[in-house]
Amino acid sequence: MFHKFYRGRIILALFLFWAATIGIVVRLAFLQFVNHAYWQELANEQQQSTVTVKPHRGHIYSRNHVALASSQQMNSLYATTAVIPESLHYDLAEELGKILDMKRGEIHKVLKRKGYPPIARKITLEQTERIKALSSKFEMHEQALYFQKESKRIYPFGELCSHILGFTEFDDLGDNIGVAGIELKYNEQIKGELKSGRTRRILGAGNMDALTEQLVQSAYGDDVTLTIDESIQDVAEKALRNQVNQCKAAAGCLIVMHASSGEILAMANVPAFDLNERGDSQAFQRRNRCLTDVIEPGSVMKTFAAAALLNEGLAEPETMVDCGNGRPLYIGKRAIRDAPGHRLDRAMYQEAFQFSSNVGCGRMALDFLDSPTLREYIQKFGFGRKTGVELPGEVAGNVPSGNWTPSTRVSVGMGYEVSATAMQLTSALACVANGGVLMQPYIVKEIRKPSGELVEETRPKPVDRVISTLASKKLLKMMEAVVDEGTATKAQIDGYRIAGKTGTAQKLNPETGVYENRYVASFGGIVPADNPQLVIYCCIDDPQGLKYGGDVAAPVFRIVAMHALKVLSIEPSEYHLDPELIIDEQARQLRMTQAADSVQQDASNRERQREATLAAGRMPDLRGLTMREVAVQLAKSGARVKFTGTGLAHKQSPAADEPLRRSQLCEVSFE
Amino acid sequence: MLELWRNCRYTSVIFFLVLLLVGLGFTMVYSSSAVWDATRSNQLIQKQYQAEDAVFTSFHSKSTSIKQLLWIALGVMVLCLFYSINYEWIASHYWLIYGLAIVFLILVLIPGIGVKVYGARRWLALGPLSFQPSEFAKLALIIFLSKYIFDRANQVNDPFKVFLPCLFFSTIIMALIVAERDFGAMAVVCALTMAMLFFGGVRLRYLAAPLPFLLVVLAILIILWPYRVERVFAVLDPLSNWHLKQSLISVGSGGIEGKGLGMGLQKYRFLAEAHTDFIFAMIGEELGLWGTILTLLIVCALVTWCLWVAYRTTDFQGALLASGISCMLGIPALLHIAVTIGLVPPKGLALPFVSYGGTSMLINMAAIGILMNVARNVDETTSKRAVVARRRKLLRRESGRRDREKRAAWA
């Protein structure tokens, strides 16, 4: 019968089937086990794509972690005119004009152009939302109005630190590039590196992950922290501006430096400009005069000649010198005269110094010093070469070369024929103040990655020992006399011992080569003199009316120094402790605050409340404050701030009264 | 318990294995079609499909996996239906079934009734449903041939009585399938015909005879559609063919452990038809070597068990049906897997019970239903035989005892 037949064939079929299965298993083993790496490679190649994002520029912080410069994400609006029907142009232009605060005609003109013309730049996220809503209202194509992300640089304080921070401009690639100040010097670090990541893709339909968004949110360049104290800087700028305005002077600059470390606490220039509206500013406003302008320092230079004399042991403050009693000192045909007023006959070197007697100091240089020694000291104090502070555009100044004639020696000893920048003078004064070691001045405290990782930290760096501690002590004593009863009595601050030296230099007309009747008034002060902490150098260019450094520059020093002493909590000098004076001062300040209170009672109440909340480690209510006030408030708690929008604060995270950790990131949006 | 197993070991194992495959298949369809459905909602991609065919998109307007679930439920019902109908009664209508298959295959060629997808007319539109006549034709041919050969079982060695007529009837179906450009299905039908004749007892030399003829047909087809040559040679250089390359990348990148269920990346529009023609590649990517071997084992077990039913049945008609149906499941399954791993030139073949597809699910379930009906006979006879044997043993023991008693009495 049949079944003998087919049963054998079924078994045969079964074996064929199993053989095929085993073949397939072998092939699978090859694909999935032996050659797995090869196929995985091919898979990765096609399944992933690289997303690259330009980072926002990093922050620039003051030493108290207040953001002086930060970045904000903005959008630019473009139109695809091909997909916008002409019938919509009028209404669209009208509505867009309302949102963007632009004229209808302007937008209308853009819409008529072919291609993808830009309509507006730097529009806020809120405007973006409204435009998106508008787009769907008109039932337009998705791409009819489209946005491109860009990063805008904002400076919450406007004018503050404008010369230090510098600013950015868009380059050809649409990147923000620093073109001045710290922004230029640390452009590479602040700009950050392109961030890229791998994302999974859907063939022909874009990427699967919102990686671009994540990267944009997280991509920041490095943060630069300056040694600047924003509060001292603010007062310095204001005081200097007031004085320059009052004296109808051309310009002024002021540097506050920490004596022992070389940290620059403030660096003010007048005229200044607003960083957020730098388009309106002129080149002369943008120059950082502290570094770029050289002056003949005048009598301030006598300090350094004195330092040479004292350090070499060639003279003592008590050394007697003939100050001529009104008669000039003749060197060949050249006559050197004292300023009219105080007359000295035969006096101690200290007195000659105290009243800035040209004749007395000139004679000391002429009789006791030789040219090589003086030149050596001048150069050791850092004149004639760049200080190396981390800001672009610094100049070296000039120390006369060749063999110095006695006349040159006397001139240099009085601050003529030598040119220097305010930075050099401040740094040289700091050297005198800190016991004779020239410190490298610096303005960048540290650079950190956005993650908080330290990239670079500046530590105080001694350059050279110039004079001995003893010589520095003697010199400080001489300088103290200048403030106590010499030319700079207007620099006195109750409760503190102050050393200083005034300078009133005649300006050389570069065209004619003749000294004119125009002056640079300057004052370099060291406070407190018994324990030098701060060096403040102020110079005012071409004051009208009063011309002496003691009259023009010393009062500015006084204001700035008083504020700085308070901010830095520097103890008053015991020697000067006069309770009555202190009470007077306190009473005066109290009166001032009371006056201010009466004007802004509400504001200050709220302020006090905020401060109390902050002190309790909680988030204050920031609504209604300006960007700057917010920055100052939160800086006190050490928190970091992220700004969005402009105007007054209206939203905050964390909310009011929530606990606030140190270095927590707070987000505040403005309207 | 043992009794129960004895009574239904053939039917129950088949049913269990089919459920395993269906479960695995649904899981993989769910995993792959999620992306398929999601990307279709993307505007840009939708336009592309609208251009393809409006009717086709309307079929696919619902979630694929939910539809697959409906098909599975319907398929189990169909299975139960065919399980309860005697296969001899079905086979007795073989002319009607064959005629229906021919009618469907002609209908699908008529524009308006047949739906064109990707350049091939393979679907009949029945209101909201679609129907693939070539799937039906496979089962119809198996039923037809089994009955035809069974009726002439004592004449199998006469080529004019069995071999040539069978070849003729299947060639008609093959021709119609080629007309709708379903080459995968054609190859399967061709293989099934050969298998039926082989199991029917036709001499092997007759079976070898049409091979040169087949080669000539193949040559003509290649000349008619030269682009198919590329496909054929794609096996030698897998990277030259997009689908094959993607499929190999899927399987290869899965590795031993696989990327995990739902974690595959190839389904993001790299692997076209990930839920139908390349679902094995998806298994390879997401479940790895263990997954592919497990799938292979289940398929292998199912086919073996089906053939075992054919082996054990005492009825030649049933045996032919069972072996034909095992081939109907086994051959496309092996071909599908071989295509996805680059052993065979790429063509569109579904993996039975695993791939998404309504018609093939229903037809395969029906086929398994018929097979289980055959297996039921085997179960019944084997269990009956066991009962008889047991009784005989008892009787023998009884009679032996009686004999001893008698002998003792006599003594």
Side-chain angles (χ1 to χ4, degrees), chain A residues 249-517:
Chain A
C253 50
L254 187 147
I255 299 176
V256 181
M257 188 186 275
H258 196 256
S260 54
S261 66
E263 277 183 16
I264 296 167
L265 294 172
M267 184 190 267
N269 284 282
V270 172
F273 64 105
D274 188 336
L275 284 167
N276 293 324
E277 278 141 35
R278 59 183 171 277
D280 307 334
S281 65
Q282 308 273 321
F284 76 90
Q285 289 172 302
R286 296 184 192 171
R287 210 163 65 220
N288 190 348
R289 290 161 193 274
C290 295
L291 298 170
T292 61
D293 284 17
V294 288
I295 49 170
E296 287 184 310
S299 308
V300 176
M301 210 65 179
K302 287 172 185 160
T303 319
F304 309 115
L309 283 163
L310 294 173
N311 195 48
E312 289 290 314
L314 300 172
E316 291 296 322
E318 295 79 22
T319 307
M320 297 304 284
V321 59
D322 178 11
C323 296
N325 199 13
R327 281 168 284 127
L329 166 70
Y330 287 97
I331 307 164
K333 284 183 177 173
R334 184 171 165 212
I336 291 167
R337 291 168 212 281
D338 276 342
H342 206 98
R343 277 190 185 184
L344 287 172
D345 189 3
R346 197 170 160 74
M348 285 194 286
Y349 181 33
Q350 183 176 326
E351 285 171 314
F353 185 82
Q354 178 180 334
F355 295 105
S356 200
S357 160
N358 289 344
V359 177
C361 291
R363 205 181 287 281
M364 287 300 286
L366 196 63
D367 296 349
F368 291 92
L369 270 175
D370 55 350
S371 298
T373 313
L374 183 57
R375 181 196 299 205
E376 192 199 322
Y377 274 93
I378 293 295
Q379 282 172 346
K380 264 179 141 182
F381 271 115
F383 296 102
R385 65 181 144 89
K386 295 181 183 178
T387 59
V389 70
E390 306 97 319
L391 283 169
E394 193 188 358
V395 295
N398 181 39
V399 175
S401 56
N403 278 329
W404 289 4
T405 59
S407 164
T408 308
R409 196 197 315 156
V410 170
S411 293
V412 170
M414 293 170 10
Y416 290 96
E417 291 188 41
V418 62
S419 62
T421 61
M423 193 69 243
Q424 285 172 332
L425 284 159
T426 317
S427 130
L429 282 170
C431 168
V432 170
N434 69 19
V437 180
L438 183 68
M439 299 300 290
Q440 160 83 52
Y442 64 97
I443 197 162
V444 173
K445 201 171 172 203
E446 60 188 27
I447 300 175
R448 280 179 192 273
K449 288 201 179 307
S451 57
E453 186 193 331
L454 195 66
V455 179
E456 205 182 306
E457 189 181 19
T458 321
R459 299 196 163 277
K461 188 178 135 202
V463 179
D464 199 0
R465 172 163 282 281
V466 185
I467 56 172
S468 65
T469 319
L470 185 67
S472 123
K473 284 238 167 85
K474 287 179 190 163
L475 188 53
L476 278 176
K477 213 164 193 180
M478 282 168 72
M479 290 169 80
E480 215 182 321
V482 173
V483 178
D484 279 350
E485 43 202 8
T487 51
T489 47
K490 288 185 181 165
Q492 288 169 2
I493 299 172
D494 298 337
Y496 290 91
R497 285 168 60 182
I498 290 165
K501 182 73 191 84
T502 56
T504 312
Q506 257 183 309
K507 278 180 85 175
L508 185 72
N509 189 330
E511 282 157 23
T512 56
V514 172
Y515 283 102
E516 295 177 321
N517 222 6

Side-chain angles (χ1 to χ4, degrees), chain B residues 306-366:
Chain B
C306 291
L307 281 175
W308 195 239
V309 167
Y311 186 87
R312 291 301 301 268
T313 183
T314 47
D315 177 20
F316 187 37
Q317 160 79 70
L320 272 176
L321 263 178
S323 49
I325 288 168
S326 346
C327 288
M328 183 185 145
L329 301 176
I331 291 173
L334 283 187
L335 278 178
H336 173 98
I337 293 172
V339 164
T340 54
I341 61 176
L343 290 174
V344 164
K347 41 175 96 59
L349 273 173
L351 185 56
F353 297 116
V354 177
S355 292
Y356 170 78
T359 317
S360 71
M361 178 63 76
L362 293 190
I363 296 293
N364 287 333
M365 284 291 198

Side-chain angles (χ1 to χ4, degrees), chain A residues 610-665:
Chain A
R610 271 197 292 274
E611 262 166 24
T613 335
L614 259 178
R618 292 175 179 282
M619 183 81 173
D621 187 356
L622 298 169
R623 276 172 302 177
L625 295 187
T626 64
M627 216 177 251
R628 174 180 182 154
E629 285 165 338
V630 169
V632 172
Q633 281 286 336
L634 290 180
K636 287 176 193 163
S637 70
R640 291 183 296 145
V641 203
K642 188 177 164 196
F643 295 113
T644 45
T646 48
L648 297 177
H650 82 116
K651 230 187 252 171
Q652 67 182 65
S653 153
D657 266 353
E658 273 181 29
L660 182 66
R661 281 177 291 109
R662 200 174 160 75
S663 81
Q664 185 177 1
L665 184 69

